[in-house]
Amino acid sequence: MRRFGRNGTGGGNGARGGGVAVVANAPTLIVLDALEQLDPPSRALLDLSLRLEVDDEQIAAIGKTDVALLTESRDEAVRLVTAGIDVPPAEELAHVRRALTLLYASSQVSEVAPPAKREPVGATVDLDELEALLDLEPAPDPARVEPVEPTAAPKPRRRVDLLFVAILALATLVRLWHINKLGLNSDEAVYAGQGAAIANDAALEPFFPAFRAHPLLFQTFLSIGDHLGILATFGRMLSAAVGVATVALTFRLGKLLYGRKAGLVAALFMALMPYHVVVTRQILLDGPMVLFATLSLYLLARFAVTQQPAWMYAFGAAMGLTAMSKETSLVLLGAVYAFLALTPQMRVAPRVLLKSIAALVGVLLLFPLSLKLAGATETGGNYLAWQLFRRPNHDFTFYMAEVPKAIGLGVVIAAIAGLWLLRKRNSWRETLLIAWIAVPVVFFQLWPVKGFQYLLPIAPAVAVLAGRALAHWGAGRDRSVRTLLTDRRVAIAATALISVSLLVATMGRIDPAGSATFLAGSGGVPGGREAGQWIEGNVPEGAQLLAVGPSMANILQFYGHRKAYGLSVSPNPLNRNPSYQPISNPDQAIRSNDLQYLVWDSYSASRSKFFSRSLLRYADRYHGRVVYTGTVTVKSADGRSVRQPVIRIYEVRP
């Protein structure tokens, strides 16, 4: 630790009075070095605002700019010069002020400030030089600032805001493009059916009880669509709106942590990311869960920056809403613990932590309380047992094979490259984002049951890290020598290339081209809606159907309003979803005329060949007659478009 002697008087922090000894510890020296590398306009702005304490309104009026833009520029400069120092976020500004004092003061370096005769020092900064750097009009001496004559408010510069609006418009477009081209898939049918049950819809309530598996936050909003008579369309539009809101929150998160440019790049990647776009085009709980998870991450980051307890309390409530959207998100609490454990400078008072936990628990209690009042506590217990003991549905490499492609390989590479290239500037911000990513990845990788959308909450954090890498490309390096690692054009080209690749991949996933295979959670099911509508119009009321699996059964019940069972549903309660009813003896059910129709579909058949063959044997044994065939257009091996059957309905007789 060194002490810098400081003489004289003047304005600003650390410059008042005589004989001030400025302590230069390691963080201050790091900031001082960063200030020397900072561009002159930003350095001058920091000096006027933080050391000389000129009011923002005065600087904005003199510079003919907007206060909000000036604040953003200053915040970005502070982020740049404090990156890499290991101090509590609330102390960062103090180190910047000390470094500015050392940079501009007429001081002598020594182990202890010598007791020399103090002589008045002139202006600590050449204001004319600062005005030139900031492109400002001449201003009074900051040491004796006088009120500025009222002037007309400057016209705000809207370029960056328009970019943000354009990104939101793009996010809206890709989420609404052909959004109803395909009918609902199984999960969508279940959640929409729950919304209908909450709305007391007599046509769907017999097939989809309100209390089924997950909390009912999103399903409650879906009930509005049922009241309006547009349940499926309303549900998908609501999910798309939630997705666009998540893009906006990603921008706010990136801007808070790394500045506006990083926020814009992160929002652009989220707007086009196939992983997020595909899920938020469907009536799934994961879209709202990611929205509230991103809000929770933003509030936690705000607390880290400000150390104000109110943000921690808000974080607790937001995490409660996240879990009320989908209970699997509680794993993110492990990420919060990891962040606080790995960041000792992040001090959280026990009282603040307890109040935040109380806010979380207070929101979470709404779900078990509603189960208790509805007398459905047994349903919740059965579902928990099934989740704990169900068998794996994908192999161990599922996430490694699917998720990086869905997020975008370019985004993942940019995020990792940024962590390495900017490693000297790493701080608590990267610890927060890495913990938010690593804990869910490790947990769900080890958890036997794997779902396509389970890792979606990590997507905003990955996008922000990628935005940081490209927005701060070349930071901390000598830019006088142009190389790939310092040339900003490389970052611009990489951003454009990644965005185009994301858009191409997204359009490929949302293009309703026919396919005979289906990955749960990845989109609608071709032919399912049409088969269900045919059933509603042609199958007698009271008739019952047997499908290969419960997924197609859910779709047929939603659109056909007829009871459907899944042949693959296990009679063992530990091996099946408690909401599904098994058919223990299909032969007897058909012979007794309890089942009149069998439904084969290629999607279930590709996942369960045994039960597909079993259902076809029943169709053959009981004189099954094909009464409906649903087809899609697919590409043959030689590139021709051909019609391929994906759904067949057989009428059987004892």
Side-chain angles (χ1 to χ4, degrees):
M1 183 179 294
R2 293 182 293 174
R3 291 182 181 274
F4 288 75
R6 176 75 163 90
N7 296 326
T9 60
N13 245 0
R16 290 189 177 127
V20 179
V22 180
V23 178
N25 51 24
T28 301
L29 293 176
I30 293 173
V31 174
L32 178 61
D33 182 63
L35 281 170
E36 291 173 344
Q37 300 179 37
L38 192 66
D39 60 284
S42 298
R43 187 167 61 240
L45 175 60
L46 289 178
D47 192 55
L48 282 174
S49 182
L50 299 181
R51 186 174 72 92
L52 299 177
E53 296 182 338
V54 179
D55 290 339
D56 289 348
E57 291 78 5
Q58 290 180 312
I59 300 176
I62 295 170
K64 298 180 180 179
T65 187
D66 185 57
V67 173
L69 291 176
L70 183 143
T71 303
E72 290 166 9
S73 299
R74 183 182 61 235
D75 292 345
E76 169 67 6
V78 171
R79 274 188 289 268
L80 288 174
V81 299
T82 58
I85 64 172
D86 190 22
V87 299
E91 298 178 9
E92 290 177 346
L93 285 181
H95 288 283
V96 176
R97 289 191 177 98
R98 290 177 194 146
L100 286 167
T101 300
L102 299 176
L103 184 64
Y104 285 108
S106 300
S107 55
Q108 299 291 329
V109 180
S110 62
E111 291 301 318
V112 179
K117 180 181 178 181
R118 296 181 177 88
E119 297 178 0
V121 179
T124 59
V125 62
D126 188 338
L127 188 59
D128 292 334
E129 178 184 353
L130 283 178
E131 290 167 355
L133 289 172
L134 289 170
D135 194 23
L136 305 175
E137 295 295 328
D141 185 345
R144 48 183 180 81
V145 174
E146 298 177 0
V148 178
E149 289 296 325
T151 58
K155 185 177 180 180
R157 295 178 229 170
R158 300 288 184 186
R159 181 177 63 86
V160 177
D161 289 341
L162 288 177
L163 285 176
F164 177 52
V165 171
I167 289 172
L168 292 184
L170 183 60
T172 304
L173 177 62
V174 296
R175 283 161 179 77
L176 296 181
W177 183 262
H178 287 163
I179 194 169
N180 275 328
K181 188 70 174 181
L182 298 178
L184 305 186
N185 60 39
S186 176
D187 288 343
E188 288 185 284
V190 168
Y191 300 138
Q194 285 182 284
I198 294 173
N200 296 318
D201 188 328
L204 290 173
E205 191 173 8
F207 312 112
F208 301 100
F211 293 99
R212 188 176 178 113
H214 303 290
L216 299 173
L217 179 62
F218 187 54
Q219 296 90 316
T220 302
F221 287 99
L222 292 177
S223 65
I224 299 173
D226 190 78
H227 285 299
L228 298 174
I230 51 171
L231 177 57
T233 301
F234 178 85
R236 283 186 167 174
M237 297 282 283
L238 178 61
S239 186
V242 165
V244 175
T246 305
V247 173
L249 268 177
T250 302
F251 165 74
R252 297 293 301 177
L253 176 65
K255 176 185 172 185
L256 173 67
L257 294 178
Y258 301 114
R260 197 173 184 91
K261 290 180 182 178
L264 285 172
V265 175
L268 177 61
F269 289 165
M270 279 296 291
L272 299 174
M273 185 182 293
Y275 200 12
H276 192 251
V277 172
V278 168
V279 172
T280 54
R281 285 169 55 87
Q282 304 173 67
I283 305 174
L284 298 176
L285 305 184
D286 304 88
M289 177 188 68
V290 174
L291 172 67
F292 290 119
T294 308
L295 175 62
S296 301
L297 180 57
Y298 172 78
L299 294 172
L300 182 59
R302 289 287 294 185
F303 169 75
V305 170
T306 65
Q307 294 289 292
Q308 295 179 1
W311 293 112
M312 197 65 182
Y313 306 151
F315 162 77
M319 272 304 301
L321 291 174
T322 306
M324 284 292 287
S325 298
K326 195 171 184 180
E327 72 284 354
T328 55
S329 61
L330 286 173
V331 69
L332 292 171
L333 292 177
V336 178
Y337 174 81
F339 166 62
L340 296 178
L342 295 172
T343 316
Q345 71 268 26
M346 198 63 58
R347 306 184 184 96
V348 184
R351 175 179 53 83
V352 173
L353 191 59
L354 288 175
K355 288 185 178 181
S356 179
I357 294 173
L360 166 64
V361 173
V363 175
L364 282 181
L365 281 176
L366 295 175
F367 181 56
L369 182 61
S370 62
L371 287 177
K372 182 70 175 178
L373 294 176
T377 52
E378 184 178 354
T379 299
N382 291 340
Y383 180 75
L384 177 61
W386 173 68
Q387 285 284 45
L388 292 176
F389 295 103
R390 62 186 292 196
R391 287 172 289 188
N393 57 343
H394 292 288
D395 59 35
F396 190 76
T397 62
F398 173 75
Y399 288 129
M400 291 179 280
E402 295 292 336
V403 173
K405 292 188 302 183
I407 290 178
L409 292 176
V411 178
V412 175
I413 292 172
I416 296 173
L419 290 173
W420 173 253
L421 295 175
L422 301 173
R423 60 190 181 279
K424 294 183 179 179
R425 307 173 70 87
N426 287 348
S427 64
W428 63 267
R429 298 171 176 86
E430 291 69 47
T431 304
L432 172 62
L433 295 177
I434 293 173
W436 198 262
I437 295 169
V439 171
V441 167
V442 172
F443 178 85
F444 286 115
Q445 183 63 45
L446 298 177
W447 188 255
V449 180
K450 294 172 172 55
F452 174 74
Q453 64 272 35
Y454 283 6
L455 291 180
L456 191 59
I458 74 172
V462 176
V464 169
L465 285 175
R468 172 216 186 201
L470 296 171
H472 296 175
W473 190 262
R477 298 178 183 272
D478 183 6
R479 296 189 179 182
S480 61
V481 180
R482 178 171 292 177
T483 66
L484 288 177
L485 297 180
T486 60
D487 194 341
R488 289 292 305 160
R489 292 176 297 182
V490 173
I492 296 172
T495 302
L497 182 62
I498 293 173
S499 300
V500 170
S501 67
L502 290 175
L503 180 59
V504 171
T506 294
M507 297 308 295
R509 287 184 179 246
I510 68 178
D511 184 359
S515 173
T517 60
F518 175 72
L519 175 63
S522 62
V525 177
R529 175 175 56 193
E530 292 75 14
Q533 292 171 342
W534 182 90
I535 289 171
E536 184 180 28
N538 295 276
V539 171
E541 291 188 14
Q544 299 190 120
L545 305 92
L546 180 65
V548 176
S551 296
M552 182 55 65
N554 286 331
I555 297 171
L556 299 179
Q557 287 183 140
F558 183 83
Y559 287 110
H561 301 159
R562 304 291 187 272
K563 183 62 180 178
Y565 299 91
L567 180 61
S568 64
V569 175
S570 172
N572 185 345
L574 294 179
N575 293 332
R576 72 166 188 265
N577 189 318
S579 302
Y580 298 145
Q581 294 177 256
I583 296 293
S584 302
N585 192 333
D587 276 295
Q588 182 181 1
I590 296 174
R591 286 197 301 268
S592 61
N593 203 31
D594 290 332
L595 292 173
Q596 298 83 28
Y597 294 88
L598 306 179
V599 182
W600 175 91
D601 69 281
S602 63
Y603 314 109
S604 300
S606 65
R607 291 183 294 170
S608 180
K609 292 180 172 56
F610 172 79
F611 289 105
S612 172
R613 290 193 297 266
S614 298
L615 185 133
L616 292 176
R617 280 199 301 270
Y618 290 129
D620 183 62
R621 182 182 305 168
Y622 294 102
H623 316 291
R625 179 172 64 91
V626 177
V627 293
Y628 174 85
T629 300
T631 62
V632 297
T633 301
V634 298
K635 293 290 185 181
S636 63
D638 57 4
R640 293 184 298 109
S641 296
V642 297
R643 301 292 296 180
Q644 178 172 328
V646 291
I647 299 176
R648 286 197 183 99
I649 300 178
Y650 299 85
E651 183 179 8
V652 293
R653 299 180 183 277

